[in-house]
Amino acid sequence: MTVQETLTKHIQVAVQSLFDLQIEKVEFQATRREFEGDITMVVFPLVKQLKGNPVEIGNKIGNYLVENVAEVEKFNVVAGFLNIVIADAFYVNFFNSIKDQDTFGYLNPVEGEKAVMVEYSSPNTNKPLHLGHIRNNLLGYSVAEIIKASGKKVYKTQIINDRGIHICKSMLAWQKFGNGQTPESTGLKGDKLVGNFYVEFDKQYKKEINDLIAQGKTEDEAKKLAPSILEAQEMLRKWEAGDEEVVALWKKMNQWVYNGFEETYKNLGVDFDSYYYESNTYLLGKEVVQFGLEKGIFEKDPDGSVWIDLTEDGLDRKIVLRSDGTAVYMTQDIGTAIQRVKDNPDVGGMVYTVGNEQDYHFKVLFLILKKLGFDWAEHLYHLSYGMVELPSGKMKSREGTVVDADDLMSEMTETAQKISEDLGKLDGYSADEKAKLFKTIGLGALKYYMLKVDPKKTMMFNPEESVDFNGNTGPFIQYTYARIQSILRKADFDYTSVTLSGVEMSLHEKEKELIKQVQLFPEVIQSAAANYSPALIANYTYDLVKEFNSFYQNVSILGETDMDKKIFRVQLSKTVGLTIKNAFHLLGIQVPERM
């Protein structure tokens, strides 16, 4: 039981006994460093109900706790804040209760509770994954792992956008300029090969637009009349009509891309429980649109297009089916959501990891699903995140100016290698061990740098800065974990089967602070899950590592002559190491045993 949970019960009894008042909640905060105390109760919420002086109320509660609660040693009151000093025995007993738990802080799913489905990645099959996809994948994967650790069953999924005009652009360019190229004949990953033809299409399309403008057309007219776009639109119509030749080409090129994606996902360390394909779910979406028309939820315009009017809900009219009967993104997303719950009846909510440029789209989608009468639509969440920018500016896929995900991961590994070699941290490593370590450090740097930032914020990514071995970085935390493993290897005595009594132990200030930081981990997991924020886990881990390094610098561990203290400090180091490892697992980051 945490100190907050323990104190809450005792303070509720104290307030009932002293003031004949029942309170449901007690508000706590960390004690400010200039005051003595381990935790602070905020007295102000009681002042209005008791109509008394906050200092007097605080003193009365403080005296009651000292007299009646073994865990409370002393207290002081500053204005409306009751600073409470907790006895060392409480922290030692708490530590003893969790030191043998390999996954302290994690909860198992509750039987019968609804599951959560987390969608992430969801790429288009016309280009390779890029830097923006990396943030998406890392956020989605981490949020799924955090929700799972908070005690819920989780399904990881994605919707693959495998149909539409953008796919036809790559297909058309390959037909015109590909000369039968394949991933095998070119030595390129399939997603990169297809992406090259998407860029090729755009070059041809822009040339045609400029030619038409030179002939006197306006820019808007030229964009609509360019031969390439007309051919791509015709190809999309043929695909939706099931044209055998077009569908065969579509299947072949998409498979190239899927093979490329799987390689990238494996290298990035993310996975999925299920895949959905827009080419399947848009059909169900069209059926639902028909159902909505019959129920009066949707309305048909004279040109045959189908819309929903959301103006009374503060939004606008939104198209759900084009006049030629073809689907839009909204059609597909409606169908996908419904299909997922059909496939997984225990799903009670969904998290969509999609960039903030789609904020409006998801407001509309969630509202439509509610209007269609699905009760699970009340539990849909858009994990909206900011774009990733580079010092060189924004990326554009069609112009080929993106930072490729595979290239970035390779660059991070190379950067980790260079910095590690410069620091001389690799004595006694084999070539294979070095290669594995460079990848662990490089990917750890990338993931931590991405995830320590609040998801809602636009972020600037700086590869060199992310691999720094000092400061709030992945490698700094990994190095501290490796340092702890070194301590454990050097401990030439049995420290695992000993449990030291809280009554007899007197804690060093640094030991106490470290235990207090470990104790926060379960609460941080729950908060990160509730807020869909891996940043809370990342920054908690950094704080824990800072606290450990302060402990390491101020307290002798293996050099301690008192055997009980030595055993306790090694046990504490081991528990901190496990907590770092478990926290980094939630971020999808590995930790090296040596570094």
PDB file of all heavy atoms in Angstrom, residues 297-298 308-316 318 330 334 359-374 376-378 380:
ATOM      1  N   ILE A 297     -30.724   9.357 -40.928  1.00  0.00           N
ATOM      2  CA  ILE A 297     -29.513   9.936 -40.343  1.00  0.00           C
ATOM      3  C   ILE A 297     -28.710  10.649 -41.431  1.00  0.00           C
ATOM      4  O   ILE A 297     -28.123  11.703 -41.205  1.00  0.00           O
ATOM      5  CB  ILE A 297     -28.674   8.836 -39.656  1.00  0.00           C
ATOM      6  CG1 ILE A 297     -29.477   8.222 -38.498  1.00  0.00           C
ATOM      7  CG2 ILE A 297     -27.337   9.385 -39.151  1.00  0.00           C
ATOM      8  CD1 ILE A 297     -28.929   6.910 -37.967  1.00  0.00           C
ATOM      9  N   PHE A 298     -28.667  10.057 -42.634  1.00  0.00           N
ATOM     10  CA  PHE A 298     -28.003  10.657 -43.780  1.00  0.00           C
ATOM     11  C   PHE A 298     -29.044  11.190 -44.756  1.00  0.00           C
ATOM     12  O   PHE A 298     -30.225  10.826 -44.690  1.00  0.00           O
ATOM     13  CB  PHE A 298     -27.114   9.626 -44.499  1.00  0.00           C
ATOM     14  CG  PHE A 298     -26.058   9.018 -43.625  1.00  0.00           C
ATOM     15  CD1 PHE A 298     -25.895   7.643 -43.540  1.00  0.00           C
ATOM     16  CD2 PHE A 298     -25.203   9.815 -42.862  1.00  0.00           C
ATOM     17  CE1 PHE A 298     -24.926   7.077 -42.736  1.00  0.00           C
ATOM     18  CE2 PHE A 298     -24.224   9.264 -42.060  1.00  0.00           C
ATOM     19  CZ  PHE A 298     -24.094   7.888 -41.986  1.00  0.00           C
ATOM     20  N   ILE A 308     -24.237  13.957 -44.270  1.00  0.00           N
ATOM     21  CA  ILE A 308     -24.853  14.064 -42.946  1.00  0.00           C
ATOM     22  C   ILE A 308     -24.728  15.513 -42.511  1.00  0.00           C
ATOM     23  O   ILE A 308     -23.666  16.132 -42.657  1.00  0.00           O
ATOM     24  CB  ILE A 308     -24.214  13.103 -41.915  1.00  0.00           C
ATOM     25  CG1 ILE A 308     -24.982  13.196 -40.579  1.00  0.00           C
ATOM     26  CG2 ILE A 308     -22.721  13.373 -41.710  1.00  0.00           C
ATOM     27  CD1 ILE A 308     -24.660  12.071 -39.608  1.00  0.00           C
ATOM     28  N   ASP A 309     -25.836  16.059 -42.002  1.00  0.00           N
ATOM     29  CA  ASP A 309     -25.857  17.461 -41.579  1.00  0.00           C
ATOM     30  C   ASP A 309     -25.624  17.525 -40.067  1.00  0.00           C
ATOM     31  O   ASP A 309     -26.466  17.106 -39.270  1.00  0.00           O
ATOM     32  CB  ASP A 309     -27.220  18.078 -41.935  1.00  0.00           C
ATOM     33  CG  ASP A 309     -27.238  19.594 -41.697  1.00  0.00           C
ATOM     34  OD1 ASP A 309     -26.267  20.105 -41.088  1.00  0.00           O
ATOM     35  OD2 ASP A 309     -28.200  20.252 -42.113  1.00  0.00           O
ATOM     36  N   LEU A 310     -24.469  18.045 -39.685  1.00  0.00           N
ATOM     37  CA  LEU A 310     -24.103  18.122 -38.272  1.00  0.00           C
ATOM     38  C   LEU A 310     -24.056  19.573 -37.779  1.00  0.00           C
ATOM     39  O   LEU A 310     -23.431  19.858 -36.761  1.00  0.00           O
ATOM     40  CB  LEU A 310     -22.734  17.456 -38.049  1.00  0.00           C
ATOM     41  CG  LEU A 310     -22.643  15.972 -38.449  1.00  0.00           C
ATOM     42  CD1 LEU A 310     -21.201  15.491 -38.339  1.00  0.00           C
ATOM     43  CD2 LEU A 310     -23.566  15.118 -37.590  1.00  0.00           C
ATOM     44  N   THR A 311     -24.734  20.463 -38.495  1.00  0.00           N
ATOM     45  CA  THR A 311     -24.668  21.890 -38.130  1.00  0.00           C
ATOM     46  C   THR A 311     -25.275  22.145 -36.754  1.00  0.00           C
ATOM     47  O   THR A 311     -24.803  23.008 -36.009  1.00  0.00           O
ATOM     48  CB  THR A 311     -25.384  22.756 -39.180  1.00  0.00           C
ATOM     49  OG1 THR A 311     -26.699  22.219 -39.412  1.00  0.00           O
ATOM     50  CG2 THR A 311     -24.606  22.778 -40.487  1.00  0.00           C
ATOM     51  N   GLU A 312     -26.296  21.387 -36.372  1.00  0.00           N
ATOM     52  CA  GLU A 312     -26.904  21.575 -35.051  1.00  0.00           C
ATOM     53  C   GLU A 312     -25.971  21.122 -33.930  1.00  0.00           C
ATOM     54  O   GLU A 312     -26.151  21.481 -32.768  1.00  0.00           O
ATOM     55  CB  GLU A 312     -28.237  20.818 -34.961  1.00  0.00           C
ATOM     56  CG  GLU A 312     -29.348  21.466 -35.792  1.00  0.00           C
ATOM     57  CD  GLU A 312     -30.701  20.805 -35.547  1.00  0.00           C
ATOM     58  OE1 GLU A 312     -30.775  19.926 -34.656  1.00  0.00           O
ATOM     59  OE2 GLU A 312     -31.665  21.174 -36.227  1.00  0.00           O
ATOM     60  N   ASP A 313     -24.967  20.318 -34.297  1.00  0.00           N
ATOM     61  CA  ASP A 313     -23.983  19.842 -33.316  1.00  0.00           C
ATOM     62  C   ASP A 313     -22.724  20.705 -33.319  1.00  0.00           C
ATOM     63  O   ASP A 313     -21.709  20.344 -32.717  1.00  0.00           O
ATOM     64  CB  ASP A 313     -23.597  18.394 -33.629  1.00  0.00           C
ATOM     65  CG  ASP A 313     -24.796  17.464 -33.569  1.00  0.00           C
ATOM     66  OD1 ASP A 313     -25.216  17.125 -32.448  1.00  0.00           O
ATOM     67  OD2 ASP A 313     -25.325  17.086 -34.647  1.00  0.00           O
ATOM     68  N   GLY A 314     -22.785  21.843 -34.023  1.00  0.00           N
ATOM     69  CA  GLY A 314     -21.642  22.750 -34.058  1.00  0.00           C
ATOM     70  C   GLY A 314     -20.605  22.402 -35.105  1.00  0.00           C
ATOM     71  O   GLY A 314     -19.535  23.004 -35.162  1.00  0.00           O
ATOM     72  N   LEU A 315     -20.910  21.415 -35.967  1.00  0.00           N
ATOM     73  CA  LEU A 315     -19.996  21.047 -37.051  1.00  0.00           C
ATOM     74  C   LEU A 315     -20.622  21.481 -38.368  1.00  0.00           C
ATOM     75  O   LEU A 315     -21.380  22.441 -38.402  1.00  0.00           O
ATOM     76  CB  LEU A 315     -19.707  19.534 -36.997  1.00  0.00           C
ATOM     77  CG  LEU A 315     -19.151  19.037 -35.638  1.00  0.00           C
ATOM     78  CD1 LEU A 315     -18.987  17.527 -35.632  1.00  0.00           C
ATOM     79  CD2 LEU A 315     -17.826  19.707 -35.324  1.00  0.00           C
ATOM     80  N   ASP A 316     -20.333  20.782 -39.476  1.00  0.00           N
ATOM     81  CA  ASP A 316     -20.929  21.188 -40.746  1.00  0.00           C
ATOM     82  C   ASP A 316     -21.511  19.970 -41.463  1.00  0.00           C
ATOM     83  O   ASP A 316     -21.631  18.895 -40.875  1.00  0.00           O
ATOM     84  CB  ASP A 316     -19.894  21.918 -41.625  1.00  0.00           C
ATOM     85  CG  ASP A 316     -18.685  21.029 -41.930  1.00  0.00           C
ATOM     86  OD1 ASP A 316     -18.722  19.824 -41.584  1.00  0.00           O
ATOM     87  OD2 ASP A 316     -17.719  21.535 -42.528  1.00  0.00           O
ATOM     88  N   LYS A 318     -21.196  16.887 -43.895  1.00  0.00           N
ATOM     89  CA  LYS A 318     -20.056  16.038 -44.242  1.00  0.00           C
ATOM     90  C   LYS A 318     -20.491  14.986 -45.252  1.00  0.00           C
ATOM     91  O   LYS A 318     -21.494  14.290 -45.044  1.00  0.00           O
ATOM     92  CB  LYS A 318     -19.509  15.361 -42.981  1.00  0.00           C
ATOM     93  CG  LYS A 318     -18.241  14.568 -43.208  1.00  0.00           C
ATOM     94  CD  LYS A 318     -17.055  15.461 -43.433  1.00  0.00           C
ATOM     95  CE  LYS A 318     -15.779  14.660 -43.630  1.00  0.00           C
ATOM     96  NZ  LYS A 318     -14.624  15.505 -43.924  1.00  0.00           N
ATOM     97  N   MET A 330     -14.303   8.786 -44.742  1.00  0.00           N
ATOM     98  CA  MET A 330     -15.285   8.640 -43.672  1.00  0.00           C
ATOM     99  C   MET A 330     -16.063   7.337 -43.816  1.00  0.00           C
ATOM    100  O   MET A 330     -16.335   6.647 -42.822  1.00  0.00           O
ATOM    101  CB  MET A 330     -16.241   9.844 -43.677  1.00  0.00           C
ATOM    102  CG  MET A 330     -17.157   9.905 -42.474  1.00  0.00           C
ATOM    103  SD  MET A 330     -16.238  10.093 -40.909  1.00  0.00           S
ATOM    104  CE  MET A 330     -15.614  11.757 -41.092  1.00  0.00           C
ATOM    105  N   ILE A 334     -16.084   4.434 -40.863  1.00  0.00           N
ATOM    106  CA  ILE A 334     -17.336   3.951 -40.253  1.00  0.00           C
ATOM    107  C   ILE A 334     -17.374   2.426 -40.324  1.00  0.00           C
ATOM    108  O   ILE A 334     -17.616   1.740 -39.325  1.00  0.00           O
ATOM    109  CB  ILE A 334     -18.572   4.554 -40.966  1.00  0.00           C
ATOM    110  CG1 ILE A 334     -18.663   6.064 -40.718  1.00  0.00           C
ATOM    111  CG2 ILE A 334     -19.853   3.851 -40.509  1.00  0.00           C
ATOM    112  CD1 ILE A 334     -19.662   6.783 -41.614  1.00  0.00           C
ATOM    113  N   ASP A 359      -8.015  16.119 -36.579  1.00  0.00           N
ATOM    114  CA  ASP A 359      -8.865  16.348 -35.399  1.00  0.00           C
ATOM    115  C   ASP A 359     -10.341  16.441 -35.774  1.00  0.00           C
ATOM    116  O   ASP A 359     -11.202  15.819 -35.139  1.00  0.00           O
ATOM    117  CB  ASP A 359      -8.445  17.638 -34.669  1.00  0.00           C
ATOM    118  CG  ASP A 359      -7.162  17.469 -33.866  1.00  0.00           C
ATOM    119  OD1 ASP A 359      -6.651  16.332 -33.782  1.00  0.00           O
ATOM    120  OD2 ASP A 359      -6.651  18.474 -33.333  1.00  0.00           O
ATOM    121  N   TYR A 360     -10.626  17.233 -36.812  1.00  0.00           N
ATOM    122  CA  TYR A 360     -12.029  17.442 -37.202  1.00  0.00           C
ATOM    123  C   TYR A 360     -12.647  16.140 -37.709  1.00  0.00           C
ATOM    124  O   TYR A 360     -13.792  15.808 -37.395  1.00  0.00           O
ATOM    125  CB  TYR A 360     -12.125  18.532 -38.266  1.00  0.00           C
ATOM    126  CG  TYR A 360     -13.543  18.924 -38.604  1.00  0.00           C
ATOM    127  CD1 TYR A 360     -14.267  19.766 -37.759  1.00  0.00           C
ATOM    128  CD2 TYR A 360     -14.176  18.441 -39.746  1.00  0.00           C
ATOM    129  CE1 TYR A 360     -15.581  20.108 -38.047  1.00  0.00           C
ATOM    130  CE2 TYR A 360     -15.485  18.779 -40.046  1.00  0.00           C
ATOM    131  CZ  TYR A 360     -16.185  19.612 -39.197  1.00  0.00           C
ATOM    132  OH  TYR A 360     -17.478  19.941 -39.480  1.00  0.00           O
ATOM    133  N   HIS A 361     -11.873  15.403 -38.506  1.00  0.00           N
ATOM    134  CA  HIS A 361     -12.363  14.138 -39.069  1.00  0.00           C
ATOM    135  C   HIS A 361     -12.872  13.216 -37.956  1.00  0.00           C
ATOM    136  O   HIS A 361     -13.947  12.611 -38.072  1.00  0.00           O
ATOM    137  CB  HIS A 361     -11.228  13.456 -39.841  1.00  0.00           C
ATOM    138  CG  HIS A 361     -11.560  12.077 -40.329  1.00  0.00           C
ATOM    139  ND1 HIS A 361     -12.197  11.847 -41.529  1.00  0.00           N
ATOM    140  CD2 HIS A 361     -11.354  10.856 -39.762  1.00  0.00           C
ATOM    141  CE1 HIS A 361     -12.360  10.537 -41.695  1.00  0.00           C
ATOM    142  NE2 HIS A 361     -11.854   9.916 -40.631  1.00  0.00           N
ATOM    143  N   PHE A 362     -12.102  13.130 -36.860  1.00  0.00           N
ATOM    144  CA  PHE A 362     -12.496  12.199 -35.800  1.00  0.00           C
ATOM    145  C   PHE A 362     -13.660  12.720 -34.962  1.00  0.00           C
ATOM    146  O   PHE A 362     -14.455  11.932 -34.447  1.00  0.00           O
ATOM    147  CB  PHE A 362     -11.288  11.823 -34.944  1.00  0.00           C
ATOM    148  CG  PHE A 362     -10.408  10.817 -35.645  1.00  0.00           C
ATOM    149  CD1 PHE A 362      -9.276  11.222 -36.318  1.00  0.00           C
ATOM    150  CD2 PHE A 362     -10.760   9.484 -35.688  1.00  0.00           C
ATOM    151  CE1 PHE A 362      -8.494  10.302 -37.003  1.00  0.00           C
ATOM    152  CE2 PHE A 362      -9.995   8.554 -36.363  1.00  0.00           C
ATOM    153  CZ  PHE A 362      -8.851   8.959 -37.026  1.00  0.00           C
ATOM    154  N   LYS A 363     -13.783  14.025 -34.831  1.00  0.00           N
ATOM    155  CA  LYS A 363     -14.984  14.570 -34.186  1.00  0.00           C
ATOM    156  C   LYS A 363     -16.230  14.126 -34.951  1.00  0.00           C
ATOM    157  O   LYS A 363     -17.231  13.703 -34.375  1.00  0.00           O
ATOM    158  CB  LYS A 363     -14.927  16.106 -34.162  1.00  0.00           C
ATOM    159  CG  LYS A 363     -14.039  16.688 -33.086  1.00  0.00           C
ATOM    160  CD  LYS A 363     -14.095  18.207 -33.129  1.00  0.00           C
ATOM    161  CE  LYS A 363     -13.117  18.832 -32.134  1.00  0.00           C
ATOM    162  NZ  LYS A 363     -13.096  20.294 -32.238  1.00  0.00           N
ATOM    163  N   VAL A 364     -16.134  14.233 -36.277  1.00  0.00           N
ATOM    164  CA  VAL A 364     -17.265  13.857 -37.131  1.00  0.00           C
ATOM    165  C   VAL A 364     -17.513  12.349 -37.054  1.00  0.00           C
ATOM    166  O   VAL A 364     -18.652  11.893 -36.886  1.00  0.00           O
ATOM    167  CB  VAL A 364     -17.014  14.298 -38.589  1.00  0.00           C
ATOM    168  CG1 VAL A 364     -18.104  13.750 -39.522  1.00  0.00           C
ATOM    169  CG2 VAL A 364     -16.957  15.826 -38.684  1.00  0.00           C
ATOM    170  N   LEU A 365     -16.467  11.557 -37.180  1.00  0.00           N
ATOM    171  CA  LEU A 365     -16.602  10.092 -37.150  1.00  0.00           C
ATOM    172  C   LEU A 365     -17.264   9.632 -35.855  1.00  0.00           C
ATOM    173  O   LEU A 365     -18.227   8.845 -35.884  1.00  0.00           O
ATOM    174  CB  LEU A 365     -15.223   9.436 -37.293  1.00  0.00           C
ATOM    175  CG  LEU A 365     -15.194   7.911 -37.102  1.00  0.00           C
ATOM    176  CD1 LEU A 365     -15.989   7.212 -38.197  1.00  0.00           C
ATOM    177  CD2 LEU A 365     -13.752   7.395 -37.055  1.00  0.00           C
ATOM    178  N   PHE A 366     -16.774  10.111 -34.720  1.00  0.00           N
ATOM    179  CA  PHE A 366     -17.315   9.669 -33.430  1.00  0.00           C
ATOM    180  C   PHE A 366     -18.776  10.072 -33.290  1.00  0.00           C
ATOM    181  O   PHE A 366     -19.597   9.310 -32.773  1.00  0.00           O
ATOM    182  CB  PHE A 366     -16.494  10.252 -32.275  1.00  0.00           C
ATOM    183  CG  PHE A 366     -15.052   9.803 -32.245  1.00  0.00           C
ATOM    184  CD1 PHE A 366     -14.131  10.436 -31.409  1.00  0.00           C
ATOM    185  CD2 PHE A 366     -14.602   8.757 -33.035  1.00  0.00           C
ATOM    186  CE1 PHE A 366     -12.807  10.029 -31.362  1.00  0.00           C
ATOM    187  CE2 PHE A 366     -13.267   8.343 -33.007  1.00  0.00           C
ATOM    188  CZ  PHE A 366     -12.370   8.981 -32.173  1.00  0.00           C
ATOM    189  N   LEU A 367     -19.108  11.261 -33.778  1.00  0.00           N
ATOM    190  CA  LEU A 367     -20.491  11.735 -33.686  1.00  0.00           C
ATOM    191  C   LEU A 367     -21.418  10.906 -34.582  1.00  0.00           C
ATOM    192  O   LEU A 367     -22.529  10.540 -34.182  1.00  0.00           O
ATOM    193  CB  LEU A 367     -20.562  13.216 -34.073  1.00  0.00           C
ATOM    194  CG  LEU A 367     -21.919  13.910 -33.904  1.00  0.00           C
ATOM    195  CD1 LEU A 367     -22.470  13.725 -32.486  1.00  0.00           C
ATOM    196  CD2 LEU A 367     -21.797  15.399 -34.223  1.00  0.00           C
ATOM    197  N   ILE A 368     -20.950  10.574 -35.783  1.00  0.00           N
ATOM    198  CA  ILE A 368     -21.760   9.743 -36.689  1.00  0.00           C
ATOM    199  C   ILE A 368     -22.032   8.382 -36.057  1.00  0.00           C
ATOM    200  O   ILE A 368     -23.174   7.876 -36.085  1.00  0.00           O
ATOM    201  CB  ILE A 368     -21.048   9.577 -38.058  1.00  0.00           C
ATOM    202  CG1 ILE A 368     -21.088  10.888 -38.846  1.00  0.00           C
ATOM    203  CG2 ILE A 368     -21.709   8.462 -38.877  1.00  0.00           C
ATOM    204  CD1 ILE A 368     -20.300  10.848 -40.151  1.00  0.00           C
ATOM    205  N   LEU A 369     -21.008   7.759 -35.482  1.00  0.00           N
ATOM    206  CA  LEU A 369     -21.182   6.434 -34.873  1.00  0.00           C
ATOM    207  C   LEU A 369     -22.149   6.495 -33.694  1.00  0.00           C
ATOM    208  O   LEU A 369     -22.926   5.560 -33.464  1.00  0.00           O
ATOM    209  CB  LEU A 369     -19.827   5.884 -34.438  1.00  0.00           C
ATOM    210  CG  LEU A 369     -18.897   5.482 -35.606  1.00  0.00           C
ATOM    211  CD1 LEU A 369     -17.472   5.262 -35.120  1.00  0.00           C
ATOM    212  CD2 LEU A 369     -19.417   4.232 -36.310  1.00  0.00           C
ATOM    213  N   LYS A 370     -22.131   7.600 -32.944  1.00  0.00           N
ATOM    214  CA  LYS A 370     -23.102   7.770 -31.859  1.00  0.00           C
ATOM    215  C   LYS A 370     -24.512   7.884 -32.418  1.00  0.00           C
ATOM    216  O   LYS A 370     -25.459   7.278 -31.904  1.00  0.00           O
ATOM    217  CB  LYS A 370     -22.765   9.023 -31.032  1.00  0.00           C
ATOM    218  CG  LYS A 370     -21.566   8.863 -30.117  1.00  0.00           C
ATOM    219  CD  LYS A 370     -21.231  10.183 -29.412  1.00  0.00           C
ATOM    220  CE  LYS A 370     -19.913  10.087 -28.656  1.00  0.00           C
ATOM    221  NZ  LYS A 370     -19.503  11.386 -28.088  1.00  0.00           N
ATOM    222  N   LYS A 371     -24.655   8.669 -33.489  1.00  0.00           N
ATOM    223  CA  LYS A 371     -25.979   8.853 -34.086  1.00  0.00           C
ATOM    224  C   LYS A 371     -26.515   7.552 -34.694  1.00  0.00           C
ATOM    225  O   LYS A 371     -27.723   7.348 -34.779  1.00  0.00           O
ATOM    226  CB  LYS A 371     -25.929   9.959 -35.154  1.00  0.00           C
ATOM    227  CG  LYS A 371     -25.797  11.367 -34.572  1.00  0.00           C
ATOM    228  CD  LYS A 371     -25.794  12.424 -35.649  1.00  0.00           C
ATOM    229  CE  LYS A 371     -25.660  13.829 -35.050  1.00  0.00           C
ATOM    230  NZ  LYS A 371     -26.860  14.257 -34.309  1.00  0.00           N
ATOM    231  N   LEU A 372     -25.594   6.676 -35.113  1.00  0.00           N
ATOM    232  CA  LEU A 372     -26.000   5.371 -35.651  1.00  0.00           C
ATOM    233  C   LEU A 372     -26.409   4.406 -34.533  1.00  0.00           C
ATOM    234  O   LEU A 372     -26.894   3.307 -34.809  1.00  0.00           O
ATOM    235  CB  LEU A 372     -24.871   4.767 -36.481  1.00  0.00           C
ATOM    236  CG  LEU A 372     -24.636   5.420 -37.861  1.00  0.00           C
ATOM    237  CD1 LEU A 372     -23.301   4.962 -38.444  1.00  0.00           C
ATOM    238  CD2 LEU A 372     -25.778   5.112 -38.824  1.00  0.00           C
ATOM    239  N   GLY A 373     -26.193   4.814 -33.266  1.00  0.00           N
ATOM    240  CA  GLY A 373     -26.725   4.050 -32.138  1.00  0.00           C
ATOM    241  C   GLY A 373     -25.794   3.044 -31.506  1.00  0.00           C
ATOM    242  O   GLY A 373     -26.236   2.163 -30.758  1.00  0.00           O
ATOM    243  N   PHE A 374     -24.484   3.143 -31.747  1.00  0.00           N
ATOM    244  CA  PHE A 374     -23.542   2.190 -31.159  1.00  0.00           C
ATOM    245  C   PHE A 374     -23.103   2.679 -29.775  1.00  0.00           C
ATOM    246  O   PHE A 374     -22.524   3.763 -29.660  1.00  0.00           O
ATOM    247  CB  PHE A 374     -22.321   2.026 -32.068  1.00  0.00           C
ATOM    248  CG  PHE A 374     -22.666   1.468 -33.426  1.00  0.00           C
ATOM    249  CD1 PHE A 374     -22.622   2.271 -34.557  1.00  0.00           C
ATOM    250  CD2 PHE A 374     -23.054   0.137 -33.563  1.00  0.00           C
ATOM    251  CE1 PHE A 374     -22.950   1.767 -35.808  1.00  0.00           C
ATOM    252  CE2 PHE A 374     -23.380  -0.378 -34.817  1.00  0.00           C
ATOM    253  CZ  PHE A 374     -23.330   0.429 -35.942  1.00  0.00           C
ATOM    254  N   TRP A 376     -20.728   1.637 -27.846  1.00  0.00           N
ATOM    255  CA  TRP A 376     -19.274   1.727 -27.672  1.00  0.00           C
ATOM    256  C   TRP A 376     -18.701   3.029 -28.241  1.00  0.00           C
ATOM    257  O   TRP A 376     -17.556   3.383 -27.965  1.00  0.00           O
ATOM    258  CB  TRP A 376     -18.557   0.527 -28.293  1.00  0.00           C
ATOM    259  CG  TRP A 376     -19.065   0.110 -29.646  1.00  0.00           C
ATOM    260  CD1 TRP A 376     -19.935  -0.891 -29.914  1.00  0.00           C
ATOM    261  CD2 TRP A 376     -18.712   0.697 -30.918  1.00  0.00           C
ATOM    262  NE1 TRP A 376     -20.179  -0.981 -31.269  1.00  0.00           N
ATOM    263  CE2 TRP A 376     -19.432  -0.018 -31.915  1.00  0.00           C
ATOM    264  CE3 TRP A 376     -17.886   1.737 -31.317  1.00  0.00           C
ATOM    265  CZ2 TRP A 376     -19.333   0.289 -33.277  1.00  0.00           C
ATOM    266  CZ3 TRP A 376     -17.796   2.045 -32.670  1.00  0.00           C
ATOM    267  CH2 TRP A 376     -18.513   1.325 -33.627  1.00  0.00           C
ATOM    268  N   ALA A 377     -19.521   3.732 -29.031  1.00  0.00           N
ATOM    269  CA  ALA A 377     -19.048   4.999 -29.611  1.00  0.00           C
ATOM    270  C   ALA A 377     -18.810   6.062 -28.543  1.00  0.00           C
ATOM    271  O   ALA A 377     -18.149   7.069 -28.805  1.00  0.00           O
ATOM    272  CB  ALA A 377     -20.055   5.509 -30.645  1.00  0.00           C
ATOM    273  N   GLU A 378     -19.340   5.838 -27.328  1.00  0.00           N
ATOM    274  CA  GLU A 378     -19.090   6.769 -26.226  1.00  0.00           C
ATOM    275  C   GLU A 378     -17.655   6.660 -25.711  1.00  0.00           C
ATOM    276  O   GLU A 378     -17.203   7.505 -24.948  1.00  0.00           O
ATOM    277  CB  GLU A 378     -20.063   6.478 -25.068  1.00  0.00           C
ATOM    278  CG  GLU A 378     -21.534   6.673 -25.410  1.00  0.00           C
ATOM    279  CD  GLU A 378     -21.911   8.134 -25.621  1.00  0.00           C
ATOM    280  OE1 GLU A 378     -21.210   9.017 -25.082  1.00  0.00           O
ATOM    281  OE2 GLU A 378     -22.895   8.377 -26.343  1.00  0.00           O
ATOM    282  N   LEU A 380     -14.649   6.258 -27.569  1.00  0.00           N
ATOM    283  CA  LEU A 380     -13.671   6.394 -28.652  1.00  0.00           C
ATOM    284  C   LEU A 380     -12.782   7.596 -28.344  1.00  0.00           C
ATOM    285  O   LEU A 380     -13.266   8.630 -27.889  1.00  0.00           O
ATOM    286  CB  LEU A 380     -14.374   6.589 -29.997  1.00  0.00           C
ATOM    287  CG  LEU A 380     -15.347   5.474 -30.405  1.00  0.00           C
ATOM    288  CD1 LEU A 380     -16.018   5.814 -31.726  1.00  0.00           C
ATOM    289  CD2 LEU A 380     -14.641   4.130 -30.500  1.00  0.00           C
TER     290      LEU A 380
END
